[in-house]
Amino acid sequence: MTLTLTDRARTSAPASAPASEAVPALVPAPRRAAGREADGLAVASFVLGLVGLLAFNLLLGPTAIVMALLSLARRTRRPGRAYLGLALGVADLVVLAVLVTVNGTVSWNLGG
């Protein structure tokens, strides 16, 4: 728990009070939701990995992997989505490798 000092004018003891009561009170600082950023990273990793299967494999695959690893390192409350984002990011790179091997290009060619 993080503690902060409040304003001395509000917490100082009156002049007639003993010196031991003149110490400012420690109150808990307002806390942000723990892991909220990590949860957002996990969801973003999943979405980018999913979109990366269809377009921009070269850009979205590694981005999804990095975001998934960051969210797991920050102890997300949604590890399943982070692992899915990680798997989809790797799948993006596999799809890219297959496209380069088969077509000789990094683009889709459905025409035949």
Side-chain angles (χ1 to χ4, degrees), residues 13-14 33 55 92 100:
D92 291 347
V100 169

Side-chain angles (χ1 to χ4, degrees), residues 9-27:
R10 290 185 292 160
T11 59
S12 294
S16 62
S20 63
E21 292 180 20
V23 176
L26 296 175
V27 294

